[in-house]
Amino acid sequence: MKTVIVVGAGIWGASLALRLAETGWRVTLVEQHLPGHVRQASAGETRLLRCSHGIDDWYARMAWKARDAWRRLGERAGEELYHEAGLMWFAGTPDGWESASARVLKNLDIPCEVLDPADGARFFPEFRGDDLSFLLWEPNSGVIRARRATQVTARLAAAAGVRLVRARAVPVTGEAAPYECAVDLGGEVLRADRVVWACGAWLPELFDTPLTVTKQDTVHFAVPAPWTTPGVPAWVDYDASAYGHGDVDGVGMKATSDAQGVPYEPEHGERIVDAASVERSRGYLRRRFPSLAGAPVLFSQVCQYALTPDTEWIVAETSPGVWLLGGDSGHGFKHAPVLAEYVAGVLDGGYEPEPRFGLHERVPARGLRTRGDIR
Ligand SMILES: Cc1cc2nc3c(=O)[nH]c(=O)nc-3n(C[C@H](O)[C@H](O)[C@H](O)COP(=O)(O)OP(=O)(O)OC[C@H]3O[C@@H](n4cnc5c(N)ncnc54)[C@H](O)[C@@H]3O)c2cc1C
């Protein structure tokens, strides 16, 4: 039986462990805390699933496939992990990210609709879109219950035979080390046919990678009844670097800036949301949904992005059998079950990963989430 060690039980590592266990691998999953612990990027209460990725059709196809995967996983777990609330893009210009996205989605037969800004009033209890060119509606996109989905995936992985080990792993050092498929758990060395380091924002501590880790504050507001899902869709404003969704499960309406935050250390960094982040979120509500400008903050969370300069991921072999899986760049949750299938195919020797996921020098490029700057 082929053996593999996956380090990191965030959604990427846990999904990969599950996939590999179900396709004939003996899997050890090493996690320094518990799956779903609040420091990991995967432990956000919610994450959006959207298919639009500008001109890029690879990620659009992945996201569309992932929608089915999340629905199936939810059925298997006996709970709704993915809430198909629909998702609205607010397009500030006629020929930007959203119009490119609409073309790609139409080519791929992924349902979407271009709407007039005035149509926003049909979807949101209150909507101000006089600064917008158009709206792009994705009826089959929505909100993933992220932390819960991570815990469920890890539980399903264990049920599929994955051995979960609680320890901090580091690469093995010494003369043979670069050629060893092994991890050091503080004295005990584990060996396998393959090792995958799926360590999220902790990856740069362990390997030389083109990653910047940033602090990201998320803010949820207490809102009145008409703003709860299923009635209210998720939304993204690419040019304003803002996104959110209606109140899901009583954690409030998310309205958050996607602007790249300050450098951050994921293990010891204080998880206190800045007052400026709350004000930025409020500023967006004031502009788009004015009656919510005075809504109190109900819940807030600090998380971190592990960003590559071009926001493309890292799926790269550093020495025979040793793989890095990271650089999710703040848009990886939705794809996890499908990415796991893709990476499992790579580990099985079926194909090489896309060249764009390599460890080459990355050229900064237009973000695959939003513009990512403060406006
Ligand atoms: C604020 C915010 C909003 C986001 N919004 C979206 C969204 O709307 N849609 C979307 O698709 N994506 C979104 N993302 C991105 C998404 O959350 C990430 O892509 C995803 O969670 C990455 O998962 P991961 O498994 O790579 O990393 P993580 O979840 O961080 O997991 C890494 C794990 O590795 C463990 N680990 C690290 N080093 C070691 C070690 N040496 N030994 C043992 N264990 C180790 C850590 O403890 C951790 O549990 C968002 C991210 C943030 C921060």
Side-chain angles (χ1 to χ4, degrees), residues 7-8 10-12 31-32 37 40-42 47-48 167-169 198-200 202 218 243 303-305 328 330-334:
V7 182
I11 197 62
W12 278 16
E31 168 56 52
Q32 60 187 345
H37 69 88
Q40 63 179 201
S42 306
R47 296 290 182 247
L48 302 190
R168 179 170 187 269
C199 298
W202 290 259
T218 56
Y243 69 98
C303 196
Q304 64 274 331
Y305 286 159
D328 65 278
H331 66 104
F333 199 99
K334 68 183 86 49

PDB file of all heavy atoms in Angstrom, residues 7-8 10-12 31-32 37 40-42 47-48 167-169 198-200 202 218 243 303-305 328 330-334, ligand 1:
ATOM      1  N   VAL A   7       0.968  17.074   6.278  1.00  0.00           N
ATOM      2  CA  VAL A   7       1.170  17.926   7.459  1.00  0.00           C
ATOM      3  C   VAL A   7       0.225  19.125   7.342  1.00  0.00           C
ATOM      4  O   VAL A   7       0.293  19.881   6.370  1.00  0.00           O
ATOM      5  CB  VAL A   7       2.631  18.415   7.577  1.00  0.00           C
ATOM      6  CG1 VAL A   7       2.806  19.250   8.853  1.00  0.00           C
ATOM      7  CG2 VAL A   7       3.592  17.246   7.551  1.00  0.00           C
ATOM      8  N   GLY A   8      -0.642  19.280   8.344  1.00  0.00           N
ATOM      9  CA  GLY A   8      -1.599  20.388   8.339  1.00  0.00           C
ATOM     10  C   GLY A   8      -3.008  19.884   8.103  1.00  0.00           C
ATOM     11  O   GLY A   8      -3.299  19.331   7.040  1.00  0.00           O
ATOM     12  N   GLY A  10      -5.786  21.831   8.021  1.00  0.00           N
ATOM     13  CA  GLY A  10      -6.729  22.846   7.552  1.00  0.00           C
ATOM     14  C   GLY A  10      -7.563  22.163   6.474  1.00  0.00           C
ATOM     15  O   GLY A  10      -7.463  20.951   6.254  1.00  0.00           O
ATOM     16  N   ILE A  11      -8.368  22.961   5.756  1.00  0.00           N
ATOM     17  CA  ILE A  11      -9.261  22.316   4.784  1.00  0.00           C
ATOM     18  C   ILE A  11      -8.466  21.700   3.626  1.00  0.00           C
ATOM     19  O   ILE A  11      -8.877  20.673   3.074  1.00  0.00           O
ATOM     20  CB  ILE A  11     -10.366  23.282   4.283  1.00  0.00           C
ATOM     21  CG1 ILE A  11     -11.498  22.505   3.626  1.00  0.00           C
ATOM     22  CG2 ILE A  11      -9.808  24.334   3.331  1.00  0.00           C
ATOM     23  CD1 ILE A  11     -12.223  21.536   4.509  1.00  0.00           C
ATOM     24  N   TRP A  12      -7.322  22.277   3.282  1.00  0.00           N
ATOM     25  CA  TRP A  12      -6.554  21.673   2.182  1.00  0.00           C
ATOM     26  C   TRP A  12      -5.957  20.324   2.587  1.00  0.00           C
ATOM     27  O   TRP A  12      -6.086  19.343   1.867  1.00  0.00           O
ATOM     28  CB  TRP A  12      -5.458  22.648   1.707  1.00  0.00           C
ATOM     29  CG  TRP A  12      -5.972  23.695   0.751  1.00  0.00           C
ATOM     30  CD1 TRP A  12      -7.284  24.038   0.532  1.00  0.00           C
ATOM     31  CD2 TRP A  12      -5.200  24.529  -0.127  1.00  0.00           C
ATOM     32  NE1 TRP A  12      -7.358  25.035  -0.401  1.00  0.00           N
ATOM     33  CE2 TRP A  12      -6.109  25.353  -0.827  1.00  0.00           C
ATOM     34  CE3 TRP A  12      -3.841  24.676  -0.376  1.00  0.00           C
ATOM     35  CZ2 TRP A  12      -5.695  26.295  -1.767  1.00  0.00           C
ATOM     36  CZ3 TRP A  12      -3.429  25.630  -1.319  1.00  0.00           C
ATOM     37  CH2 TRP A  12      -4.335  26.423  -2.009  1.00  0.00           C
ATOM     38  N   GLU A  31      -1.126  17.297  12.680  1.00  0.00           N
ATOM     39  CA  GLU A  31      -1.647  18.650  12.951  1.00  0.00           C
ATOM     40  C   GLU A  31      -1.148  19.090  14.326  1.00  0.00           C
ATOM     41  O   GLU A  31      -1.300  18.363  15.302  1.00  0.00           O
ATOM     42  CB  GLU A  31      -3.176  18.649  12.870  1.00  0.00           C
ATOM     43  CG  GLU A  31      -3.856  19.903  13.404  1.00  0.00           C
ATOM     44  CD  GLU A  31      -3.398  21.202  12.748  1.00  0.00           C
ATOM     45  OE1 GLU A  31      -3.414  21.304  11.511  1.00  0.00           O
ATOM     46  OE2 GLU A  31      -3.005  22.133  13.495  1.00  0.00           O
ATOM     47  N   GLN A  32      -0.624  20.309  14.372  1.00  0.00           N
ATOM     48  CA  GLN A  32      -0.057  20.792  15.643  1.00  0.00           C
ATOM     49  C   GLN A  32      -1.135  21.154  16.672  1.00  0.00           C
ATOM     50  O   GLN A  32      -0.875  21.122  17.880  1.00  0.00           O
ATOM     51  CB  GLN A  32       0.855  21.982  15.393  1.00  0.00           C
ATOM     52  CG  GLN A  32       0.159  23.169  14.731  1.00  0.00           C
ATOM     53  CD  GLN A  32       1.096  24.288  14.337  1.00  0.00           C
ATOM     54  OE1 GLN A  32       2.231  24.328  14.786  1.00  0.00           O
ATOM     55  NE2 GLN A  32       0.631  25.202  13.493  1.00  0.00           N
ATOM     56  N   HIS A  37      -9.078  24.463  14.582  1.00  0.00           N
ATOM     57  CA  HIS A  37      -8.633  25.411  15.620  1.00  0.00           C
ATOM     58  C   HIS A  37      -8.647  26.830  15.052  1.00  0.00           C
ATOM     59  O   HIS A  37      -8.442  27.019  13.850  1.00  0.00           O
ATOM     60  CB  HIS A  37      -7.242  25.032  16.152  1.00  0.00           C
ATOM     61  CG  HIS A  37      -6.118  25.226  15.173  1.00  0.00           C
ATOM     62  ND1 HIS A  37      -5.449  26.422  15.043  1.00  0.00           N
ATOM     63  CD2 HIS A  37      -5.555  24.386  14.265  1.00  0.00           C
ATOM     64  CE1 HIS A  37      -4.510  26.305  14.115  1.00  0.00           C
ATOM     65  NE2 HIS A  37      -4.559  25.083  13.626  1.00  0.00           N
ATOM     66  N   GLN A  40      -6.218  28.647  12.368  1.00  0.00           N
ATOM     67  CA  GLN A  40      -6.074  28.256  10.955  1.00  0.00           C
ATOM     68  C   GLN A  40      -7.014  29.074  10.054  1.00  0.00           C
ATOM     69  O   GLN A  40      -8.096  29.507  10.487  1.00  0.00           O
ATOM     70  CB  GLN A  40      -6.277  26.751  10.757  1.00  0.00           C
ATOM     71  CG  GLN A  40      -7.629  26.227  11.108  1.00  0.00           C
ATOM     72  CD  GLN A  40      -7.781  24.722  10.867  1.00  0.00           C
ATOM     73  OE1 GLN A  40      -8.899  24.267  10.741  1.00  0.00           O
ATOM     74  NE2 GLN A  40      -6.724  23.960  10.814  1.00  0.00           N
ATOM     75  N   ALA A  41      -6.577  29.285   8.804  1.00  0.00           N
ATOM     76  CA  ALA A  41      -7.387  30.073   7.868  1.00  0.00           C
ATOM     77  C   ALA A  41      -8.728  29.402   7.619  1.00  0.00           C
ATOM     78  O   ALA A  41      -9.726  30.061   7.329  1.00  0.00           O
ATOM     79  CB  ALA A  41      -6.632  30.246   6.555  1.00  0.00           C
ATOM     80  N   SER A  42      -8.759  28.090   7.760  1.00  0.00           N
ATOM     81  CA  SER A  42      -9.981  27.331   7.461  1.00  0.00           C
ATOM     82  C   SER A  42     -11.032  27.456   8.551  1.00  0.00           C
ATOM     83  O   SER A  42     -12.133  26.930   8.394  1.00  0.00           O
ATOM     84  CB  SER A  42      -9.619  25.858   7.271  1.00  0.00           C
ATOM     85  OG  SER A  42      -8.612  25.734   6.295  1.00  0.00           O
ATOM     86  N   ARG A  47     -17.050  30.991   4.423  1.00  0.00           N
ATOM     87  CA  ARG A  47     -16.239  31.312   3.252  1.00  0.00           C
ATOM     88  C   ARG A  47     -17.168  31.311   2.041  1.00  0.00           C
ATOM     89  O   ARG A  47     -18.069  30.484   1.963  1.00  0.00           O
ATOM     90  CB  ARG A  47     -15.129  30.279   3.036  1.00  0.00           C
ATOM     91  CG  ARG A  47     -14.083  30.232   4.163  1.00  0.00           C
ATOM     92  CD  ARG A  47     -13.234  31.486   4.160  1.00  0.00           C
ATOM     93  NE  ARG A  47     -12.190  31.518   5.165  1.00  0.00           N
ATOM     94  CZ  ARG A  47     -12.172  32.369   6.193  1.00  0.00           C
ATOM     95  NH1 ARG A  47     -13.145  33.223   6.375  1.00  0.00           N
ATOM     96  NH2 ARG A  47     -11.143  32.382   7.032  1.00  0.00           N
ATOM     97  N   LEU A  48     -16.906  32.203   1.098  1.00  0.00           N
ATOM     98  CA  LEU A  48     -17.764  32.275  -0.081  1.00  0.00           C
ATOM     99  C   LEU A  48     -17.342  31.280  -1.137  1.00  0.00           C
ATOM    100  O   LEU A  48     -16.142  31.008  -1.312  1.00  0.00           O
ATOM    101  CB  LEU A  48     -17.706  33.674  -0.707  1.00  0.00           C
ATOM    102  CG  LEU A  48     -18.109  34.861   0.169  1.00  0.00           C
ATOM    103  CD1 LEU A  48     -18.217  36.121  -0.673  1.00  0.00           C
ATOM    104  CD2 LEU A  48     -19.406  34.594   0.905  1.00  0.00           C
ATOM    105  N   ALA A 167       0.926  16.814  16.571  1.00  0.00           N
ATOM    106  CA  ALA A 167       2.338  17.161  16.792  1.00  0.00           C
ATOM    107  C   ALA A 167       2.729  18.255  15.812  1.00  0.00           C
ATOM    108  O   ALA A 167       2.073  18.448  14.788  1.00  0.00           O
ATOM    109  CB  ALA A 167       3.225  15.937  16.557  1.00  0.00           C
ATOM    110  N   ARG A 168       3.806  18.951  16.157  1.00  0.00           N
ATOM    111  CA  ARG A 168       4.360  19.915  15.195  1.00  0.00           C
ATOM    112  C   ARG A 168       5.447  19.189  14.416  1.00  0.00           C
ATOM    113  O   ARG A 168       6.377  18.635  15.010  1.00  0.00           O
ATOM    114  CB  ARG A 168       4.930  21.134  15.926  1.00  0.00           C
ATOM    115  CG  ARG A 168       5.531  22.120  14.963  1.00  0.00           C
ATOM    116  CD  ARG A 168       5.885  23.453  15.600  1.00  0.00           C
ATOM    117  NE  ARG A 168       6.303  24.386  14.566  1.00  0.00           N
ATOM    118  CZ  ARG A 168       7.554  24.551  14.164  1.00  0.00           C
ATOM    119  NH1 ARG A 168       8.535  23.847  14.723  1.00  0.00           N
ATOM    120  NH2 ARG A 168       7.843  25.409  13.195  1.00  0.00           N
ATOM    121  N   ALA A 169       5.306  19.186  13.103  1.00  0.00           N
ATOM    122  CA  ALA A 169       6.285  18.510  12.257  1.00  0.00           C
ATOM    123  C   ALA A 169       7.274  19.521  11.693  1.00  0.00           C
ATOM    124  O   ALA A 169       6.906  20.666  11.404  1.00  0.00           O
ATOM    125  CB  ALA A 169       5.567  17.807  11.109  1.00  0.00           C
ATOM    126  N   ALA A 198       1.043  20.867   3.894  1.00  0.00           N
ATOM    127  CA  ALA A 198      -0.125  21.732   3.634  1.00  0.00           C
ATOM    128  C   ALA A 198      -0.301  22.637   4.845  1.00  0.00           C
ATOM    129  O   ALA A 198      -1.282  22.528   5.583  1.00  0.00           O
ATOM    130  CB  ALA A 198      -1.363  20.873   3.398  1.00  0.00           C
ATOM    131  N   CYS A 199       0.665  23.505   5.047  1.00  0.00           N
ATOM    132  CA  CYS A 199       0.785  24.217   6.335  1.00  0.00           C
ATOM    133  C   CYS A 199       0.262  25.642   6.305  1.00  0.00           C
ATOM    134  O   CYS A 199       0.527  26.420   7.239  1.00  0.00           O
ATOM    135  CB  CYS A 199       2.239  24.211   6.790  1.00  0.00           C
ATOM    136  SG  CYS A 199       2.835  22.539   7.072  1.00  0.00           S
ATOM    137  N   GLY A 200      -0.459  26.024   5.283  1.00  0.00           N
ATOM    138  CA  GLY A 200      -1.063  27.356   5.253  1.00  0.00           C
ATOM    139  C   GLY A 200      -0.032  28.449   5.516  1.00  0.00           C
ATOM    140  O   GLY A 200       1.053  28.475   4.917  1.00  0.00           O
ATOM    141  N   TRP A 202       1.879  28.893   7.905  1.00  0.00           N
ATOM    142  CA  TRP A 202       3.076  28.444   8.618  1.00  0.00           C
ATOM    143  C   TRP A 202       4.142  27.937   7.630  1.00  0.00           C
ATOM    144  O   TRP A 202       5.271  27.673   8.025  1.00  0.00           O
ATOM    145  CB  TRP A 202       2.738  27.312   9.594  1.00  0.00           C
ATOM    146  CG  TRP A 202       1.925  27.720  10.778  1.00  0.00           C
ATOM    147  CD1 TRP A 202       2.393  27.950  12.048  1.00  0.00           C
ATOM    148  CD2 TRP A 202       0.510  27.950  10.856  1.00  0.00           C
ATOM    149  NE1 TRP A 202       1.354  28.297  12.879  1.00  0.00           N
ATOM    150  CE2 TRP A 202       0.195  28.309  12.184  1.00  0.00           C
ATOM    151  CE3 TRP A 202      -0.535  27.897   9.920  1.00  0.00           C
ATOM    152  CZ2 TRP A 202      -1.109  28.593  12.600  1.00  0.00           C
ATOM    153  CZ3 TRP A 202      -1.832  28.189  10.337  1.00  0.00           C
ATOM    154  CH2 TRP A 202      -2.098  28.535  11.652  1.00  0.00           C
ATOM    155  N   THR A 218     -12.108  40.197   9.958  1.00  0.00           N
ATOM    156  CA  THR A 218     -13.461  40.052   9.398  1.00  0.00           C
ATOM    157  C   THR A 218     -14.474  40.548  10.428  1.00  0.00           C
ATOM    158  O   THR A 218     -14.311  40.352  11.626  1.00  0.00           O
ATOM    159  CB  THR A 218     -13.799  38.597   9.031  1.00  0.00           C
ATOM    160  OG1 THR A 218     -13.627  37.785  10.173  1.00  0.00           O
ATOM    161  CG2 THR A 218     -12.913  38.077   7.935  1.00  0.00           C
ATOM    162  N   TYR A 243     -16.540  42.452   0.520  1.00  0.00           N
ATOM    163  CA  TYR A 243     -17.436  41.319   0.294  1.00  0.00           C
ATOM    164  C   TYR A 243     -18.223  41.022   1.555  1.00  0.00           C
ATOM    165  O   TYR A 243     -17.896  41.534   2.637  1.00  0.00           O
ATOM    166  CB  TYR A 243     -16.647  40.075  -0.144  1.00  0.00           C
ATOM    167  CG  TYR A 243     -15.769  39.493   0.945  1.00  0.00           C
ATOM    168  CD1 TYR A 243     -16.194  38.407   1.699  1.00  0.00           C
ATOM    169  CD2 TYR A 243     -14.539  40.064   1.266  1.00  0.00           C
ATOM    170  CE1 TYR A 243     -15.405  37.874   2.717  1.00  0.00           C
ATOM    171  CE2 TYR A 243     -13.752  39.554   2.284  1.00  0.00           C
ATOM    172  CZ  TYR A 243     -14.179  38.460   3.002  1.00  0.00           C
ATOM    173  OH  TYR A 243     -13.414  37.964   4.015  1.00  0.00           O
ATOM    174  N   CYS A 303      -7.998  36.561  10.932  1.00  0.00           N
ATOM    175  CA  CYS A 303      -7.509  35.400  10.192  1.00  0.00           C
ATOM    176  C   CYS A 303      -6.269  35.858   9.423  1.00  0.00           C
ATOM    177  O   CYS A 303      -5.808  36.976   9.605  1.00  0.00           O
ATOM    178  CB  CYS A 303      -8.618  34.913   9.271  1.00  0.00           C
ATOM    179  SG  CYS A 303      -8.321  33.255   8.660  1.00  0.00           S
ATOM    180  N   GLN A 304      -5.707  35.014   8.577  1.00  0.00           N
ATOM    181  CA  GLN A 304      -4.535  35.457   7.819  1.00  0.00           C
ATOM    182  C   GLN A 304      -4.575  34.909   6.398  1.00  0.00           C
ATOM    183  O   GLN A 304      -5.082  33.832   6.156  1.00  0.00           O
ATOM    184  CB  GLN A 304      -3.233  35.018   8.506  1.00  0.00           C
ATOM    185  CG  GLN A 304      -3.003  33.517   8.591  1.00  0.00           C
ATOM    186  CD  GLN A 304      -3.648  32.859   9.786  1.00  0.00           C
ATOM    187  OE1 GLN A 304      -3.821  33.478  10.823  1.00  0.00           O
ATOM    188  NE2 GLN A 304      -4.028  31.592   9.661  1.00  0.00           N
ATOM    189  N   TYR A 305      -4.066  35.734   5.485  1.00  0.00           N
ATOM    190  CA  TYR A 305      -3.870  35.278   4.108  1.00  0.00           C
ATOM    191  C   TYR A 305      -2.422  34.805   3.972  1.00  0.00           C
ATOM    192  O   TYR A 305      -1.507  35.416   4.552  1.00  0.00           O
ATOM    193  CB  TYR A 305      -4.074  36.418   3.116  1.00  0.00           C
ATOM    194  CG  TYR A 305      -5.511  36.853   2.872  1.00  0.00           C
ATOM    195  CD1 TYR A 305      -5.773  38.118   2.346  1.00  0.00           C
ATOM    196  CD2 TYR A 305      -6.587  36.014   3.117  1.00  0.00           C
ATOM    197  CE1 TYR A 305      -7.074  38.529   2.086  1.00  0.00           C
ATOM    198  CE2 TYR A 305      -7.897  36.423   2.860  1.00  0.00           C
ATOM    199  CZ  TYR A 305      -8.128  37.673   2.347  1.00  0.00           C
ATOM    200  OH  TYR A 305      -9.411  38.091   2.085  1.00  0.00           O
ATOM    201  N   ASP A 328      -2.547  29.708  -0.715  1.00  0.00           N
ATOM    202  CA  ASP A 328      -3.962  29.776  -1.131  1.00  0.00           C
ATOM    203  C   ASP A 328      -4.394  31.199  -1.475  1.00  0.00           C
ATOM    204  O   ASP A 328      -5.391  31.400  -2.160  1.00  0.00           O
ATOM    205  CB  ASP A 328      -4.850  29.223  -0.023  1.00  0.00           C
ATOM    206  CG  ASP A 328      -4.771  30.104   1.221  1.00  0.00           C
ATOM    207  OD1 ASP A 328      -3.820  29.955   1.999  1.00  0.00           O
ATOM    208  OD2 ASP A 328      -5.651  30.975   1.382  1.00  0.00           O
ATOM    209  N   GLY A 330      -5.884  33.488  -0.033  1.00  0.00           N
ATOM    210  CA  GLY A 330      -7.194  33.979   0.413  1.00  0.00           C
ATOM    211  C   GLY A 330      -8.357  33.578  -0.461  1.00  0.00           C
ATOM    212  O   GLY A 330      -9.450  34.125  -0.326  1.00  0.00           O
ATOM    213  N   HIS A 331      -8.155  32.591  -1.359  1.00  0.00           N
ATOM    214  CA  HIS A 331      -9.312  32.165  -2.167  1.00  0.00           C
ATOM    215  C   HIS A 331      -9.334  30.649  -2.372  1.00  0.00           C
ATOM    216  O   HIS A 331      -9.819  30.155  -3.380  1.00  0.00           O
ATOM    217  CB  HIS A 331      -9.349  32.906  -3.514  1.00  0.00           C
ATOM    218  CG  HIS A 331      -8.210  32.593  -4.445  1.00  0.00           C
ATOM    219  ND1 HIS A 331      -8.372  31.770  -5.548  1.00  0.00           N
ATOM    220  CD2 HIS A 331      -6.910  32.967  -4.456  1.00  0.00           C
ATOM    221  CE1 HIS A 331      -7.219  31.679  -6.200  1.00  0.00           C
ATOM    222  NE2 HIS A 331      -6.315  32.397  -5.559  1.00  0.00           N
ATOM    223  N   GLY A 332      -8.861  29.917  -1.359  1.00  0.00           N
ATOM    224  CA  GLY A 332      -8.716  28.480  -1.573  1.00  0.00           C
ATOM    225  C   GLY A 332      -9.768  27.592  -0.945  1.00  0.00           C
ATOM    226  O   GLY A 332      -9.842  26.409  -1.279  1.00  0.00           O
ATOM    227  N   PHE A 333     -10.568  28.130  -0.029  1.00  0.00           N
ATOM    228  CA  PHE A 333     -11.460  27.226   0.708  1.00  0.00           C
ATOM    229  C   PHE A 333     -12.419  26.502  -0.226  1.00  0.00           C
ATOM    230  O   PHE A 333     -12.549  25.280  -0.193  1.00  0.00           O
ATOM    231  CB  PHE A 333     -12.248  27.993   1.783  1.00  0.00           C
ATOM    232  CG  PHE A 333     -12.791  27.061   2.826  1.00  0.00           C
ATOM    233  CD1 PHE A 333     -12.144  26.890   4.029  1.00  0.00           C
ATOM    234  CD2 PHE A 333     -13.932  26.294   2.578  1.00  0.00           C
ATOM    235  CE1 PHE A 333     -12.619  25.981   4.976  1.00  0.00           C
ATOM    236  CE2 PHE A 333     -14.408  25.400   3.511  1.00  0.00           C
ATOM    237  CZ  PHE A 333     -13.757  25.243   4.704  1.00  0.00           C
ATOM    238  N   LYS A 334     -13.130  27.289  -1.012  1.00  0.00           N
ATOM    239  CA  LYS A 334     -14.184  26.727  -1.855  1.00  0.00           C
ATOM    240  C   LYS A 334     -13.690  25.560  -2.700  1.00  0.00           C
ATOM    241  O   LYS A 334     -14.405  24.631  -2.991  1.00  0.00           O
ATOM    242  CB  LYS A 334     -14.759  27.810  -2.777  1.00  0.00           C
ATOM    243  CG  LYS A 334     -13.765  28.290  -3.831  1.00  0.00           C
ATOM    244  CD  LYS A 334     -14.295  29.408  -4.684  1.00  0.00           C
ATOM    245  CE  LYS A 334     -14.106  30.780  -4.116  1.00  0.00           C
ATOM    246  NZ  LYS A 334     -12.777  31.167  -3.620  1.00  0.00           N
TER     247      LYS A 334
HETATM  248  C1  LIG B   1     -10.439  36.449   6.162  1.00  0.00           C
HETATM  249  C2  LIG B   1     -10.402  35.348   5.140  1.00  0.00           C
HETATM  250  C3  LIG B   1     -11.432  35.227   4.244  1.00  0.00           C
HETATM  251  C4  LIG B   1     -11.401  34.221   3.283  1.00  0.00           C
HETATM  252  N1  LIG B   1     -12.457  34.118   2.427  1.00  0.00           N
HETATM  253  C5  LIG B   1     -12.489  33.097   1.545  1.00  0.00           C
HETATM  254  C6  LIG B   1     -13.624  32.910   0.743  1.00  0.00           C
HETATM  255  O1  LIG B   1     -14.601  33.658   0.829  1.00  0.00           O
HETATM  256  N2  LIG B   1     -13.610  31.869  -0.121  1.00  0.00           N
HETATM  257  C7  LIG B   1     -12.562  31.017  -0.219  1.00  0.00           C
HETATM  258  O2  LIG B   1     -12.626  30.098  -1.040  1.00  0.00           O
HETATM  259  N3  LIG B   1     -11.469  31.165   0.540  1.00  0.00           N
HETATM  260  C8  LIG B   1     -11.410  32.167   1.428  1.00  0.00           C
HETATM  261  N4  LIG B   1     -10.336  32.331   2.243  1.00  0.00           N
HETATM  262  C9  LIG B   1      -9.181  31.434   2.086  1.00  0.00           C
HETATM  263  C10 LIG B   1      -9.364  30.112   2.787  1.00  0.00           C
HETATM  264  O3  LIG B   1      -9.758  30.306   4.119  1.00  0.00           O
HETATM  265  C11 LIG B   1      -8.034  29.376   2.687  1.00  0.00           C
HETATM  266  O4  LIG B   1      -7.720  29.236   1.316  1.00  0.00           O
HETATM  267  C12 LIG B   1      -8.044  27.991   3.298  1.00  0.00           C
HETATM  268  O5  LIG B   1      -8.649  27.977   4.550  1.00  0.00           O
HETATM  269  C13 LIG B   1      -6.600  27.500   3.372  1.00  0.00           C
HETATM  270  O6  LIG B   1      -6.573  26.282   4.026  1.00  0.00           O
HETATM  271  P1  LIG B   1      -5.195  25.595   4.399  1.00  0.00           P
HETATM  272  O7  LIG B   1      -5.527  24.214   4.812  1.00  0.00           O
HETATM  273  O8  LIG B   1      -4.201  25.772   3.313  1.00  0.00           O
HETATM  274  O9  LIG B   1      -4.586  26.443   5.628  1.00  0.00           O
HETATM  275  P2  LIG B   1      -5.003  26.470   7.168  1.00  0.00           P
HETATM  276  O10 LIG B   1      -6.458  26.343   7.324  1.00  0.00           O
HETATM  277  O11 LIG B   1      -4.356  27.643   7.782  1.00  0.00           O
HETATM  278  O12 LIG B   1      -4.377  25.156   7.761  1.00  0.00           O
HETATM  279  C14 LIG B   1      -2.985  24.954   7.909  1.00  0.00           C
HETATM  280  C15 LIG B   1      -2.831  23.998   9.061  1.00  0.00           C
HETATM  281  O13 LIG B   1      -1.482  23.525   9.106  1.00  0.00           O
HETATM  282  C16 LIG B   1      -1.140  23.360  10.477  1.00  0.00           C
HETATM  283  N5  LIG B   1       0.308  23.384  10.572  1.00  0.00           N
HETATM  284  C17 LIG B   1       1.130  24.351  10.113  1.00  0.00           C
HETATM  285  N6  LIG B   1       2.415  24.031  10.313  1.00  0.00           N
HETATM  286  C18 LIG B   1       2.403  22.826  10.919  1.00  0.00           C
HETATM  287  C19 LIG B   1       3.446  21.969  11.379  1.00  0.00           C
HETATM  288  N7  LIG B   1       4.727  22.306  11.213  1.00  0.00           N
HETATM  289  N8  LIG B   1       3.118  20.788  11.954  1.00  0.00           N
HETATM  290  C20 LIG B   1       1.792  20.454  12.114  1.00  0.00           C
HETATM  291  N9  LIG B   1       0.773  21.236  11.686  1.00  0.00           N
HETATM  292  C21 LIG B   1       1.070  22.402  11.090  1.00  0.00           C
HETATM  293  C22 LIG B   1      -1.778  24.569  11.142  1.00  0.00           C
HETATM  294  O14 LIG B   1      -1.919  24.384  12.548  1.00  0.00           O
HETATM  295  C23 LIG B   1      -3.109  24.632  10.420  1.00  0.00           C
HETATM  296  O15 LIG B   1      -4.093  23.907  11.094  1.00  0.00           O
HETATM  297  C24 LIG B   1     -10.311  33.326   3.218  1.00  0.00           C
HETATM  298  C25 LIG B   1      -9.266  33.448   4.124  1.00  0.00           C
HETATM  299  C26 LIG B   1      -9.304  34.440   5.091  1.00  0.00           C
HETATM  300  C27 LIG B   1      -8.178  34.561   6.060  1.00  0.00           C
END
